[in-house]
mmCIF file with all atom_site columns, all heavy atoms in Angstrom:
data_model
loop_
_atom_site.group_PDB
_atom_site.id
_atom_site.type_symbol
_atom_site.label_atom_id
_atom_site.label_alt_id
_atom_site.label_comp_id
_atom_site.label_asym_id
_atom_site.label_entity_id
_atom_site.label_seq_id
_atom_site.pdbx_PDB_ins_code
_atom_site.Cartn_x
_atom_site.Cartn_y
_atom_site.Cartn_z
_atom_site.occupancy
_atom_site.B_iso_or_equiv
_atom_site.pdbx_formal_charge
_atom_site.auth_seq_id
_atom_site.auth_comp_id
_atom_site.auth_asym_id
_atom_site.auth_atom_id
_atom_site.pdbx_PDB_model_num
ATOM 1   N N   . PHE A 1 259 ? 10.874  63.605 -43.617 1.00 0.00 ? 259 PHE A N   1
ATOM 2   C CA  . PHE A 1 259 ? 9.423   63.660 -43.756 1.00 0.00 ? 259 PHE A CA  1
ATOM 3   C C   . PHE A 1 259 ? 9.022   64.465 -44.985 1.00 0.00 ? 259 PHE A C   1
ATOM 4   O O   . PHE A 1 259 ? 8.067   64.121 -45.691 1.00 0.00 ? 259 PHE A O   1
ATOM 5   C CB  . PHE A 1 259 ? 8.799   64.271 -42.501 1.00 0.00 ? 259 PHE A CB  1
ATOM 6   C CG  . PHE A 1 259 ? 8.642   63.295 -41.379 1.00 0.00 ? 259 PHE A CG  1
ATOM 7   C CD1 . PHE A 1 259 ? 9.372   63.441 -40.210 1.00 0.00 ? 259 PHE A CD1 1
ATOM 8   C CD2 . PHE A 1 259 ? 7.764   62.223 -41.494 1.00 0.00 ? 259 PHE A CD2 1
ATOM 9   C CE1 . PHE A 1 259 ? 9.226   62.546 -39.168 1.00 0.00 ? 259 PHE A CE1 1
ATOM 10  C CE2 . PHE A 1 259 ? 7.617   61.315 -40.452 1.00 0.00 ? 259 PHE A CE2 1
ATOM 11  C CZ  . PHE A 1 259 ? 8.351   61.466 -39.283 1.00 0.00 ? 259 PHE A CZ  1
ATOM 12  N N   . GLY A 1 260 ? 9.768   65.565 -45.233 1.00 0.00 ? 260 GLY A N   1
ATOM 13  C CA  . GLY A 1 260 ? 9.454   66.390 -46.400 1.00 0.00 ? 260 GLY A CA  1
ATOM 14  C C   . GLY A 1 260 ? 9.673   65.636 -47.701 1.00 0.00 ? 260 GLY A C   1
ATOM 15  O O   . GLY A 1 260 ? 8.831   65.700 -48.617 1.00 0.00 ? 260 GLY A O   1
ATOM 16  N N   . VAL A 1 261 ? 10.802  64.921 -47.806 1.00 0.00 ? 261 VAL A N   1
ATOM 17  C CA  . VAL A 1 261 ? 11.093  64.148 -49.016 1.00 0.00 ? 261 VAL A CA  1
ATOM 18  C C   . VAL A 1 261 ? 10.063  63.036 -49.194 1.00 0.00 ? 261 VAL A C   1
ATOM 19  O O   . VAL A 1 261 ? 9.593   62.768 -50.311 1.00 0.00 ? 261 VAL A O   1
ATOM 20  C CB  . VAL A 1 261 ? 12.522  63.568 -48.945 1.00 0.00 ? 261 VAL A CB  1
ATOM 21  C CG1 . VAL A 1 261 ? 12.759  62.583 -50.071 1.00 0.00 ? 261 VAL A CG1 1
ATOM 22  C CG2 . VAL A 1 261 ? 13.552  64.690 -48.975 1.00 0.00 ? 261 VAL A CG2 1
ATOM 23  N N   . LEU A 1 262 ? 9.699   62.372 -48.090 1.00 0.00 ? 262 LEU A N   1
ATOM 24  C CA  . LEU A 1 262 ? 8.706   61.301 -48.160 1.00 0.00 ? 262 LEU A CA  1
ATOM 25  C C   . LEU A 1 262 ? 7.368   61.832 -48.661 1.00 0.00 ? 262 LEU A C   1
ATOM 26  O O   . LEU A 1 262 ? 6.715   61.205 -49.507 1.00 0.00 ? 262 LEU A O   1
ATOM 27  C CB  . LEU A 1 262 ? 8.550   60.660 -46.782 1.00 0.00 ? 262 LEU A CB  1
ATOM 28  C CG  . LEU A 1 262 ? 7.583   59.471 -46.683 1.00 0.00 ? 262 LEU A CG  1
ATOM 29  C CD1 . LEU A 1 262 ? 8.084   58.323 -47.554 1.00 0.00 ? 262 LEU A CD1 1
ATOM 30  C CD2 . LEU A 1 262 ? 7.445   59.016 -45.236 1.00 0.00 ? 262 LEU A CD2 1
ATOM 31  N N   . LEU A 1 263 ? 6.973   63.003 -48.149 1.00 0.00 ? 263 LEU A N   1
ATOM 32  C CA  . LEU A 1 263 ? 5.717   63.597 -48.592 1.00 0.00 ? 263 LEU A CA  1
ATOM 33  C C   . LEU A 1 263 ? 5.797   64.008 -50.055 1.00 0.00 ? 263 LEU A C   1
ATOM 34  O O   . LEU A 1 263 ? 4.832   63.842 -50.816 1.00 0.00 ? 263 LEU A O   1
ATOM 35  C CB  . LEU A 1 263 ? 5.388   64.807 -47.706 1.00 0.00 ? 263 LEU A CB  1
ATOM 36  C CG  . LEU A 1 263 ? 4.066   65.520 -47.985 1.00 0.00 ? 263 LEU A CG  1
ATOM 37  C CD1 . LEU A 1 263 ? 2.895   64.568 -47.768 1.00 0.00 ? 263 LEU A CD1 1
ATOM 38  C CD2 . LEU A 1 263 ? 3.915   66.745 -47.098 1.00 0.00 ? 263 LEU A CD2 1
ATOM 39  N N   . LEU A 1 264 ? 6.959   64.543 -50.458 1.00 0.00 ? 264 LEU A N   1
ATOM 40  C CA  . LEU A 1 264 ? 7.142   64.981 -51.849 1.00 0.00 ? 264 LEU A CA  1
ATOM 41  C C   . LEU A 1 264 ? 7.095   63.793 -52.809 1.00 0.00 ? 264 LEU A C   1
ATOM 42  O O   . LEU A 1 264 ? 6.492   63.862 -53.888 1.00 0.00 ? 264 LEU A O   1
ATOM 43  C CB  . LEU A 1 264 ? 8.480   65.717 -51.977 1.00 0.00 ? 264 LEU A CB  1
ATOM 44  C CG  . LEU A 1 264 ? 8.768   66.385 -53.323 1.00 0.00 ? 264 LEU A CG  1
ATOM 45  C CD1 . LEU A 1 264 ? 7.746   67.476 -53.602 1.00 0.00 ? 264 LEU A CD1 1
ATOM 46  C CD2 . LEU A 1 264 ? 10.177  66.951 -53.344 1.00 0.00 ? 264 LEU A CD2 1
ATOM 47  N N   . VAL A 1 265 ? 7.714   62.683 -52.415 1.00 0.00 ? 265 VAL A N   1
ATOM 48  C CA  . VAL A 1 265 ? 7.726   61.499 -53.272 1.00 0.00 ? 265 VAL A CA  1
ATOM 49  C C   . VAL A 1 265 ? 6.336   60.858 -53.328 1.00 0.00 ? 265 VAL A C   1
ATOM 50  O O   . VAL A 1 265 ? 5.898   60.369 -54.382 1.00 0.00 ? 265 VAL A O   1
ATOM 51  C CB  . VAL A 1 265 ? 8.775   60.488 -52.759 1.00 0.00 ? 265 VAL A CB  1
ATOM 52  C CG1 . VAL A 1 265 ? 8.657   59.165 -53.494 1.00 0.00 ? 265 VAL A CG1 1
ATOM 53  C CG2 . VAL A 1 265 ? 10.178  61.062 -52.924 1.00 0.00 ? 265 VAL A CG2 1
ATOM 54  N N   . ALA A 1 266 ? 5.650   60.869 -52.208 1.00 0.00 ? 266 ALA A N   1
ATOM 55  C CA  . ALA A 1 266 ? 4.362   60.175 -52.152 1.00 0.00 ? 266 ALA A CA  1
ATOM 56  C C   . ALA A 1 266 ? 3.223   60.984 -52.743 1.00 0.00 ? 266 ALA A C   1
ATOM 57  O O   . ALA A 1 266 ? 2.195   60.413 -53.119 1.00 0.00 ? 266 ALA A O   1
ATOM 58  C CB  . ALA A 1 266 ? 4.034   59.826 -50.698 1.00 0.00 ? 266 ALA A CB  1
ATOM 59  N N   . SER A 1 267 ? 3.385   62.314 -52.842 1.00 0.00 ? 267 SER A N   1
ATOM 60  C CA  . SER A 1 267 ? 2.276   63.158 -53.305 1.00 0.00 ? 267 SER A CA  1
ATOM 61  C C   . SER A 1 267 ? 1.814   62.813 -54.728 1.00 0.00 ? 267 SER A C   1
ATOM 62  O O   . SER A 1 267 ? 0.598   62.779 -54.981 1.00 0.00 ? 267 SER A O   1
ATOM 63  C CB  . SER A 1 267 ? 2.669   64.633 -53.205 1.00 0.00 ? 267 SER A CB  1
ATOM 64  O OG  . SER A 1 267 ? 3.853   64.901 -53.920 1.00 0.00 ? 267 SER A OG  1
ATOM 65  N N   . PRO A 1 268 ? 2.702   62.539 -55.730 1.00 0.00 ? 268 PRO A N   1
ATOM 66  C CA  . PRO A 1 268 ? 2.193   62.166 -57.062 1.00 0.00 ? 268 PRO A CA  1
ATOM 67  C C   . PRO A 1 268 ? 1.361   60.886 -57.042 1.00 0.00 ? 268 PRO A C   1
ATOM 68  O O   . PRO A 1 268 ? 0.342   60.787 -57.728 1.00 0.00 ? 268 PRO A O   1
ATOM 69  C CB  . PRO A 1 268 ? 3.474   61.982 -57.896 1.00 0.00 ? 268 PRO A CB  1
ATOM 70  C CG  . PRO A 1 268 ? 4.509   62.787 -57.193 1.00 0.00 ? 268 PRO A CG  1
ATOM 71  C CD  . PRO A 1 268 ? 4.172   62.670 -55.748 1.00 0.00 ? 268 PRO A CD  1
ATOM 72  N N   . PHE A 1 269 ? 1.798   59.909 -56.246 1.00 0.00 ? 269 PHE A N   1
ATOM 73  C CA  . PHE A 1 269 ? 1.037   58.664 -56.152 1.00 0.00 ? 269 PHE A CA  1
ATOM 74  C C   . PHE A 1 269 ? -0.326  58.895 -55.494 1.00 0.00 ? 269 PHE A C   1
ATOM 75  O O   . PHE A 1 269 ? -1.317  58.274 -55.884 1.00 0.00 ? 269 PHE A O   1
ATOM 76  C CB  . PHE A 1 269 ? 1.837   57.627 -55.365 1.00 0.00 ? 269 PHE A CB  1
ATOM 77  C CG  . PHE A 1 269 ? 3.120   57.225 -56.024 1.00 0.00 ? 269 PHE A CG  1
ATOM 78  C CD1 . PHE A 1 269 ? 4.332   57.789 -55.642 1.00 0.00 ? 269 PHE A CD1 1
ATOM 79  C CD2 . PHE A 1 269 ? 3.120   56.283 -57.052 1.00 0.00 ? 269 PHE A CD2 1
ATOM 80  C CE1 . PHE A 1 269 ? 5.513   57.423 -56.253 1.00 0.00 ? 269 PHE A CE1 1
ATOM 81  C CE2 . PHE A 1 269 ? 4.298   55.910 -57.673 1.00 0.00 ? 269 PHE A CE2 1
ATOM 82  C CZ  . PHE A 1 269 ? 5.505   56.476 -57.278 1.00 0.00 ? 269 PHE A CZ  1
ATOM 83  N N   . LEU A 1 270 ? -0.352  59.793 -54.511 1.00 0.00 ? 270 LEU A N   1
ATOM 84  C CA  . LEU A 1 270 ? -1.630  60.112 -53.874 1.00 0.00 ? 270 LEU A CA  1
ATOM 85  C C   . LEU A 1 270 ? -2.570  60.793 -54.849 1.00 0.00 ? 270 LEU A C   1
ATOM 86  O O   . LEU A 1 270 ? -3.780  60.518 -54.864 1.00 0.00 ? 270 LEU A O   1
ATOM 87  C CB  . LEU A 1 270 ? -1.388  61.004 -52.642 1.00 0.00 ? 270 LEU A CB  1
ATOM 88  C CG  . LEU A 1 270 ? -0.632  60.356 -51.475 1.00 0.00 ? 270 LEU A CG  1
ATOM 89  C CD1 . LEU A 1 270 ? -0.369  61.379 -50.382 1.00 0.00 ? 270 LEU A CD1 1
ATOM 90  C CD2 . LEU A 1 270 ? -1.443  59.192 -50.917 1.00 0.00 ? 270 LEU A CD2 1
ATOM 91  N N   . LEU A 1 271 ? -2.017  61.691 -55.685 1.00 0.00 ? 271 LEU A N   1
ATOM 92  C CA  . LEU A 1 271 ? -2.847  62.381 -56.675 1.00 0.00 ? 271 LEU A CA  1
ATOM 93  C C   . LEU A 1 271 ? -3.379  61.398 -57.713 1.00 0.00 ? 271 LEU A C   1
ATOM 94  O O   . LEU A 1 271 ? -4.529  61.494 -58.164 1.00 0.00 ? 271 LEU A O   1
ATOM 95  C CB  . LEU A 1 271 ? -2.037  63.488 -57.356 1.00 0.00 ? 271 LEU A CB  1
ATOM 96  C CG  . LEU A 1 271 ? -1.658  64.691 -56.477 1.00 0.00 ? 271 LEU A CG  1
ATOM 97  C CD1 . LEU A 1 271 ? -0.747  65.644 -57.229 1.00 0.00 ? 271 LEU A CD1 1
ATOM 98  C CD2 . LEU A 1 271 ? -2.914  65.422 -56.018 1.00 0.00 ? 271 LEU A CD2 1
ATOM 99  N N   . LEU A 1 272 ? -2.539  60.440 -58.130 1.00 0.00 ? 272 LEU A N   1
ATOM 100 C CA  . LEU A 1 272 ? -2.975  59.437 -59.105 1.00 0.00 ? 272 LEU A CA  1
ATOM 101 C C   . LEU A 1 272 ? -3.999  58.476 -58.505 1.00 0.00 ? 272 LEU A C   1
ATOM 102 O O   . LEU A 1 272 ? -4.913  58.010 -59.195 1.00 0.00 ? 272 LEU A O   1
ATOM 103 C CB  . LEU A 1 272 ? -1.769  58.648 -59.625 1.00 0.00 ? 272 LEU A CB  1
ATOM 104 C CG  . LEU A 1 272 ? -0.771  59.425 -60.501 1.00 0.00 ? 272 LEU A CG  1
ATOM 105 C CD1 . LEU A 1 272 ? 0.444   58.559 -60.808 1.00 0.00 ? 272 LEU A CD1 1
ATOM 106 C CD2 . LEU A 1 272 ? -1.439  59.872 -61.799 1.00 0.00 ? 272 LEU A CD2 1
ATOM 107 N N   . ALA A 1 273 ? -3.836  58.190 -57.231 1.00 0.00 ? 273 ALA A N   1
ATOM 108 C CA  . ALA A 1 273 ? -4.733  57.225 -56.598 1.00 0.00 ? 273 ALA A CA  1
ATOM 109 C C   . ALA A 1 273 ? -6.052  57.841 -56.172 1.00 0.00 ? 273 ALA A C   1
ATOM 110 O O   . ALA A 1 273 ? -7.026  57.121 -55.944 1.00 0.00 ? 273 ALA A O   1
ATOM 111 C CB  . ALA A 1 273 ? -4.040  56.596 -55.386 1.00 0.00 ? 273 ALA A CB  1
ATOM 112 N N   . ALA A 1 274 ? -6.086  59.170 -56.059 1.00 0.00 ? 274 ALA A N   1
ATOM 113 C CA  . ALA A 1 274 ? -7.301  59.833 -55.580 1.00 0.00 ? 274 ALA A CA  1
ATOM 114 C C   . ALA A 1 274 ? -8.523  59.528 -56.446 1.00 0.00 ? 274 ALA A C   1
ATOM 115 O O   . ALA A 1 274 ? -9.594  59.207 -55.914 1.00 0.00 ? 274 ALA A O   1
ATOM 116 C CB  . ALA A 1 274 ? -7.060  61.330 -55.470 1.00 0.00 ? 274 ALA A CB  1
ATOM 117 N N   . PRO A 1 275 ? -8.440  59.635 -57.804 1.00 0.00 ? 275 PRO A N   1
ATOM 118 C CA  . PRO A 1 275 ? -9.627  59.319 -58.620 1.00 0.00 ? 275 PRO A CA  1
ATOM 119 C C   . PRO A 1 275 ? -10.105 57.881 -58.435 1.00 0.00 ? 275 PRO A C   1
ATOM 120 O O   . PRO A 1 275 ? -11.314 57.622 -58.411 1.00 0.00 ? 275 PRO A O   1
ATOM 121 C CB  . PRO A 1 275 ? -9.141  59.547 -60.051 1.00 0.00 ? 275 PRO A CB  1
ATOM 122 C CG  . PRO A 1 275 ? -7.990  60.483 -59.924 1.00 0.00 ? 275 PRO A CG  1
ATOM 123 C CD  . PRO A 1 275 ? -7.326  60.121 -58.633 1.00 0.00 ? 275 PRO A CD  1
ATOM 124 N N   . CYS A 1 276 ? -9.161  56.952 -58.304 1.00 0.00 ? 276 CYS A N   1
ATOM 125 C CA  . CYS A 1 276 ? -9.541  55.558 -58.112 1.00 0.00 ? 276 CYS A CA  1
ATOM 126 C C   . CYS A 1 276 ? -10.284 55.361 -56.793 1.00 0.00 ? 276 CYS A C   1
ATOM 127 O O   . CYS A 1 276 ? -11.289 54.648 -56.712 1.00 0.00 ? 276 CYS A O   1
ATOM 128 C CB  . CYS A 1 276 ? -8.307  54.655 -58.146 1.00 0.00 ? 276 CYS A CB  1
ATOM 129 S SG  . CYS A 1 276 ? -7.401  54.723 -59.717 1.00 0.00 ? 276 CYS A SG  1
ATOM 130 N N   . ILE A 1 277 ? -9.768  56.028 -55.757 1.00 0.00 ? 277 ILE A N   1
ATOM 131 C CA  . ILE A 1 277 ? -10.405 55.915 -54.441 1.00 0.00 ? 277 ILE A CA  1
ATOM 132 C C   . ILE A 1 277 ? -11.810 56.495 -54.484 1.00 0.00 ? 277 ILE A C   1
ATOM 133 O O   . ILE A 1 277 ? -12.775 55.912 -53.982 1.00 0.00 ? 277 ILE A O   1
ATOM 134 C CB  . ILE A 1 277 ? -9.549  56.621 -53.365 1.00 0.00 ? 277 ILE A CB  1
ATOM 135 C CG1 . ILE A 1 277 ? -8.185  55.912 -53.243 1.00 0.00 ? 277 ILE A CG1 1
ATOM 136 C CG2 . ILE A 1 277 ? -10.258 56.636 -52.029 1.00 0.00 ? 277 ILE A CG2 1
ATOM 137 C CD1 . ILE A 1 277 ? -7.213  56.627 -52.335 1.00 0.00 ? 277 ILE A CD1 1
ATOM 138 N N   . LEU A 1 278 ? -11.927 57.690 -55.102 1.00 0.00 ? 278 LEU A N   1
ATOM 139 C CA  . LEU A 1 278 ? -13.242 58.329 -55.207 1.00 0.00 ? 278 LEU A CA  1
ATOM 140 C C   . LEU A 1 278 ? -14.189 57.486 -56.049 1.00 0.00 ? 278 LEU A C   1
ATOM 141 O O   . LEU A 1 278 ? -15.378 57.359 -55.734 1.00 0.00 ? 278 LEU A O   1
ATOM 142 C CB  . LEU A 1 278 ? -13.092 59.730 -55.807 1.00 0.00 ? 278 LEU A CB  1
ATOM 143 C CG  . LEU A 1 278 ? -12.337 60.751 -54.945 1.00 0.00 ? 278 LEU A CG  1
ATOM 144 C CD1 . LEU A 1 278 ? -12.152 62.053 -55.711 1.00 0.00 ? 278 LEU A CD1 1
ATOM 145 C CD2 . LEU A 1 278 ? -13.093 61.011 -53.645 1.00 0.00 ? 278 LEU A CD2 1
ATOM 146 N N   . CYS A 1 279 ? -13.670 56.892 -57.118 1.00 0.00 ? 279 CYS A N   1
ATOM 147 C CA  . CYS A 1 279 ? -14.495 56.062 -57.994 1.00 0.00 ? 279 CYS A CA  1
ATOM 148 C C   . CYS A 1 279 ? -15.017 54.838 -57.243 1.00 0.00 ? 279 CYS A C   1
ATOM 149 O O   . CYS A 1 279 ? -16.191 54.465 -57.365 1.00 0.00 ? 279 CYS A O   1
ATOM 150 C CB  . CYS A 1 279 ? -13.693 55.639 -59.220 1.00 0.00 ? 279 CYS A CB  1
ATOM 151 S SG  . CYS A 1 279 ? -14.647 54.661 -60.415 1.00 0.00 ? 279 CYS A SG  1
ATOM 152 N N   . CYS A 1 280 ? -14.148 54.217 -56.491 1.00 0.00 ? 280 CYS A N   1
ATOM 153 C CA  . CYS A 1 280 ? -14.554 53.043 -55.713 1.00 0.00 ? 280 CYS A CA  1
ATOM 154 C C   . CYS A 1 280 ? -15.622 53.408 -54.695 1.00 0.00 ? 280 CYS A C   1
ATOM 155 O O   . CYS A 1 280 ? -16.595 52.679 -54.491 1.00 0.00 ? 280 CYS A O   1
ATOM 156 C CB  . CYS A 1 280 ? -13.348 52.426 -55.008 1.00 0.00 ? 280 CYS A CB  1
ATOM 157 S SG  . CYS A 1 280 ? -12.143 51.675 -56.128 1.00 0.00 ? 280 CYS A SG  1
#
Side-chain angles (χ1 to χ4, degrees):
F259 279 114
V261 171
L262 182 63
L263 183 61
L264 187 63
V265 171
S267 56
F269 296 98
L270 294 175
L271 291 174
L272 292 174
C276 299
I277 297 173
L278 294 175
C279 183
C280 292

